Amino acid sequence: MKNKTTANEILSQFSHDPEQLAVITNNTDRLIVEAPAGYGKTFTMISMISYWFAINKIPKNKFILCLSFSVSAANRMKENISEMFFNTSNFNKTADQIWTTNFHGFCRMVLKKYGYLIGVNDINALKSIDPEKIHSVSSSDEVRLTLVKDMEHDISSASISIDQLFTRIPSYIEAQKSLFIKKGEITYDAIILFVLNLFKEYPSIQHGYQNIFKAICIDEFQDTNVLGLALIRTLVLPDTKCVVFGDQMQQIYAFLGAIPNLIDHIDSADVNHRITYIRLLKNYRFTKRPNMLALDTALHKFRDNPYDITIKPVDINPLHGITIYDQSSRIIELIQHIHSTDPNATFAILVNQGVGTTAELVTNIRQTLPLMDATFKAEDPDFMDFEYRALELYQSTFLSHPITKHEIEHFCDSVKSNSSHSDYTTSFEELLRTFLYSSVKKFPSAFRNNHIISTLSSQSLRQSLPDVTARVTVSTIHGAKGLEWDYVIIANFQQDDFPNHNDLKQLGIPISQTTINIDEVDRDALNDITNKLYVAFSRAKKEVFFSYSNEGRKPWGKKYNTCLSSLASLPIFKIL
């Protein structure tokens, strides 16, 4: 009776939203949920899991696997699940029965236990190779090196099918062991490929994992590449409940092989299963912010149909500076003005990656405002090394007890002295410090060590960006995905910066062209750039602003003249 009452209490919270309610009560084995930013995805997902426990859908000897492409999304799920069930009678049960990680994190756990069977004796001792540097590796064994490069290129370009992937895995694995494993290294893609190979060579291990998961929940499904999809299919049995959440407009990892239009055109290997599709329809974040709601509506209408004549353009009045310094000054003035009336507000200055203007912008702003420079990448070797050193030192220091508030500063100093120096070392330290203080505050001692070790081992310190003490954070759009601030400034909103050189090349328009004719550009490329715009905009909880200048810098420092972004010519905007 208690469980039934709990189930009814959960359902009563969704009487006003039939789509969310349909997700929670759905009883089909395969469910796709399209959930835009701000539409209540997280609350719906966690409530769905809570409902499963309330109706005893998850037996005591079974588990739920919650996966995502990105580390930050996985850790958000983990924190939200902990917050949902903490201080309830079900917490200990659910804490043990829910596995929350990203695809690579799951595969690391599998390899840590069974990797020795296929030549990976200690996955944590292998140094990760920056994916961008794999093509610069040289070896006397050109045949095997070419095999690895070709495989990883086909994965990143989404030009390989799952069947082709499995056909090529054995020779790829042998090449990896010969070229990298024996040197104590491993490539990013190889972590999943080794697990797929393990399951193929040892089906009893695969069956063991298949049988313990009663349900699998995937977040950020739109970012899944062929490796992630192959892993999902190796884990899902006919009676496994599989629910995926995603938003096609937040797919910005095409360069890592995210399968284009995966949600729209998913081809299921489960031909005997009906796939249910539900799209959440209510934006809760911007209910009381009509301008933000209007921009959200316009962007979605444009993504669905760029020729939709009902799209109502949204007024924007960009901050404009003649030089980069002038743009910086306008941004500083805006932040100071907002801060005078909203002293606890958080700000993010988001920039497109692959541009040279950002460094000078950051330098100018830092002269007046304290800021967190987070323009480094999560896969930056220096950052990954810092996280590894922090993990290694934490595990050796806090075997008998979890870290306390009074031990944090000393520990951070120790990590700093044991790590290599980088231009971003100060930012790395601030992220670690912020994360540890937050962990001490959020988690009691019984659960703190597991949370800290899991976060560091899955290389997800970036999830703490919105919590840093500096009121302003500067980040790339890709690095900010999944995070939120009160106010967002999309900076360098100018030609050859946003869109950058590669964006313009994909669109097929010259730098000098200041308007975008929808009929003359590649539609997929246009979707990619508007997706980036949407992700940047939707990081804001209260308001978004745009800024640009007539001056830019190439990555090597050369100045050039520019103008307002050609994206401003799209029918979603009305420039004031």
Side-chain angles (χ1 to χ4, degrees):
M1 182 64 67
K2 181 179 179 181
N3 282 345
K4 187 174 182 180
T5 302
T6 303
N8 289 335
E9 289 174 351
I10 293 169
L11 298 182
S12 67
Q13 301 177 77
F14 296 92
S15 59
H16 63 288
D17 194 319
E19 286 74 32
Q20 290 181 339
L21 185 63
V23 171
I24 294 168
T25 58
N26 179 269
N27 58 12
T28 59
D29 290 330
R30 306 290 182 263
L31 173 63
I32 296 176
V33 183
E34 184 152 7
Y39 283 59
K41 175 195 71 175
T42 301
F43 186 55
T44 304
M45 182 190 305
I46 305 305
S47 297
M48 176 188 71
I49 293 173
S50 181
Y51 181 73
W52 290 346
F53 281 105
I55 62 174
N56 294 319
K57 185 176 183 64
I58 311 299
K60 291 182 179 180
N61 63 336
K62 298 290 184 178
F63 299 83
I64 299 172
L65 178 62
C66 295
L67 286 173
S68 78
F69 169 79
S70 69
V71 172
S72 59
N75 278 273
R76 286 196 309 278
M77 277 198 292
K78 184 179 297 183
E79 287 198 357
N80 289 322
I81 289 170
S82 297
E83 290 174 5
M84 168 68 78
F85 292 109
F86 189 67
N87 291 329
T88 70
S89 58
N90 281 332
F91 180 70
N92 290 332
K93 174 184 176 182
T94 55
D96 292 337
Q97 287 186 260
I98 303 175
W99 293 17
T100 308
T101 183
N102 67 322
F103 292 113
H104 283 81
F106 173 79
C107 289
R108 280 183 171 276
M109 288 191 293
V110 174
L111 292 176
K112 185 176 181 180
K113 191 171 185 179
Y114 297 109
Y116 70 94
L117 294 171
I118 53 172
V120 182
N121 295 322
D122 185 359
I123 182 62
N124 291 332
L126 297 178
K127 185 176 182 180
S128 297
I129 301 175
D130 185 343
E132 293 187 358
K133 294 183 178 179
I134 182 65
H135 294 286
S136 64
V137 173
S138 59
S139 170
S140 58
D141 192 342
E142 286 296 329
V143 174
R144 283 181 168 170
L145 182 59
T146 299
L147 190 152
V148 171
K149 290 180 178 180
D150 287 349
M151 174 75 117
E152 303 211 352
H153 171 269
D154 291 345
I155 292 169
S156 64
S157 62
S159 59
I160 184 172
S161 68
I162 290 179
D163 289 341
Q164 293 169 337
L165 185 79
F166 276 103
T167 299
R168 293 164 59 179
I169 281 179
S171 56
Y172 171 89
I173 292 298
E174 290 307 311
Q176 271 283 336
K177 289 193 285 190
S178 173
L179 296 170
F180 300 108
I181 302 297
K182 70 177 184 180
K183 296 192 299 182
E185 300 174 335
I186 190 168
T187 64
Y188 188 69
D189 287 341
I191 294 171
I192 296 181
L193 287 163
F194 267 101
V195 170
L196 295 176
N197 186 61
L198 174 72
F199 287 166
K200 184 177 181 180
E201 295 293 324
Y202 297 89
S204 62
I205 296 176
Q206 178 187 359
H207 295 157
Y209 282 102
Q210 288 175 330
N211 289 321
I212 65 172
F213 296 126
K214 180 64 175 176
I216 296 179
C217 184
I218 316 294
D219 192 17
E220 305 289 352
F221 185 62
Q222 76 280 346
D223 292 326
T224 304
N225 63 11
V226 67
L227 294 181
L229 201 57
L231 182 64
I232 293 168
R233 289 185 178 176
T234 61
L235 294 172
V236 174
L237 290 172
D239 63 346
T240 305
K241 176 81 169 180
C242 186
V243 182
V244 303
F245 290 80
D247 178 13
Q248 205 63 64
M249 281 199 70
Q250 294 189 68
Q251 186 185 67
I252 59 173
Y253 286 112
F255 65 97
L256 292 180
I259 300 171
N261 301 313
L262 180 59
I263 294 176
D264 295 337
H265 303 112
I266 181 171
D267 67 333
S268 174
D270 302 312
V271 294
N272 296 321
H273 285 81
R274 180 173 62 87
I275 298 178
T276 302
Y277 170 87
I278 299 173
R279 183 175 184 175
L280 301 185
L281 299 177
K282 293 185 179 181
N283 187 317
Y284 292 93
R285 184 184 302 172
F286 302 140
T287 300
K288 297 181 180 180
R289 297 186 177 276
N291 203 54
M292 295 288 282
L293 186 59
L295 185 52
D296 179 81
T297 301
L299 282 164
H300 275 98
K301 281 190 172 185
F302 183 79
R303 177 62 166 75
D304 291 341
N305 179 11
Y307 303 101
D308 187 345
I309 61 173
T310 68
I311 296 174
K312 185 178 180 180
V314 178
D315 294 346
I316 64 167
N317 188 10
L319 305 175
H320 176 217
I322 300 301
T323 64
I324 301 172
Y325 180 83
D326 292 337
Q327 181 190 185
S328 307
S329 299
R330 296 296 305 278
I331 291 174
I332 292 169
E333 291 170 2
L334 174 68
I335 291 174
Q336 290 176 330
H337 173 71
I338 293 175
H339 191 255
S340 66
T341 57
D342 192 356
N344 296 319
T346 56
F347 300 85
I349 300 171
L350 302 185
V351 296
N352 200 10
Q353 62 184 16
V355 300
T357 312
T358 300
E360 186 169 336
L361 189 77
V362 169
T363 299
N364 293 338
I365 296 173
R366 179 176 274 148
Q367 292 174 358
T368 303
L369 298 175
L371 58 78
M372 173 70 175
D373 185 356
T375 53
F376 58 89
K377 298 179 181 179
E379 63 271 20
D380 185 316
D382 289 329
F383 185 47
M384 294 173 69
D385 178 71
F386 180 86
E387 290 175 300
Y388 176 75
R389 299 299 175 192
L391 172 65
E392 189 177 50
L393 188 59
Y394 189 89
Q395 289 176 311
S396 63
T397 305
F398 299 102
L399 285 173
S400 59
H401 73 281
I403 194 169
T404 65
K405 181 174 68 174
H406 305 293
E407 296 171 301
I408 291 175
E409 293 301 328
H410 177 71
F411 176 73
C412 289
D413 289 340
S414 298
V415 175
K416 177 182 178 181
S417 63
N418 281 276
S419 303
S420 57
H421 180 75
S422 162
D423 291 340
Y424 295 102
T425 297
T426 302
S427 296
F428 299 166
E429 294 168 16
E430 184 59 27
L431 276 174
L432 178 62
R433 183 177 293 105
T434 299
F435 165 67
L436 291 174
Y437 276 113
S438 175
S439 298
V440 169
K441 182 178 180 180
K442 289 182 178 180
F443 292 91
S445 57
F447 305 103
R448 192 179 306 152
N449 261 0
N450 183 61
H451 173 69
I452 292 173
I453 291 172
S454 176
T455 299
L456 292 175
S457 63
S458 60
Q459 299 175 326
S460 52
L461 274 181
R462 284 190 70 96
Q463 68 172 335
S464 297
L465 273 178
D467 300 322
V468 295
T469 54
R471 80 176 73 151
V472 182
T473 297
V474 184
S475 172
T476 63
I477 296 169
H478 286 84
K481 190 172 184 293
L483 305 177
E484 295 176 353
W485 293 265
D486 293 322
Y487 300 92
V488 164
I489 301 165
I490 301 175
N492 300 333
F493 192 60
Q494 58 215 30
Q495 204 71 338
D496 208 27
D497 278 71
F498 193 3
N500 63 26
H501 177 76
N502 186 61
D503 294 329
L504 291 166
K505 183 179 179 181
Q506 295 298 317
L507 287 169
I509 64 175
I511 295 174
S512 58
Q513 185 172 320
T514 58
T515 60
I516 295 178
N517 187 324
I518 299 170
D519 292 322
E520 296 177 355
V521 298
D522 182 273
R523 178 68 184 275
D524 289 337
L526 183 60
N527 283 342
D528 289 343
I529 189 67
T530 52
N531 283 359
K532 275 197 285 187
L533 181 62
Y534 176 77
V535 167
F537 144 77
S538 59
R539 298 312 92 207
K541 292 187 286 187
K542 293 184 177 180
E543 197 63 65
V544 66
F545 303 91
F546 296 79
S547 71
Y548 75 103
S549 67
N550 296 113
E551 178 185 74
R553 278 194 185 277
K554 297 293 185 181
W556 53 90
K558 180 182 177 181
K559 288 187 177 181
Y560 62 91
N561 296 324
T562 186
C563 60
L564 181 64
S565 170
S566 55
L567 293 174
S569 69
L570 295 177
I572 56 179
F573 293 122
K574 179 181 179 183
I575 307 300
L576 301 179

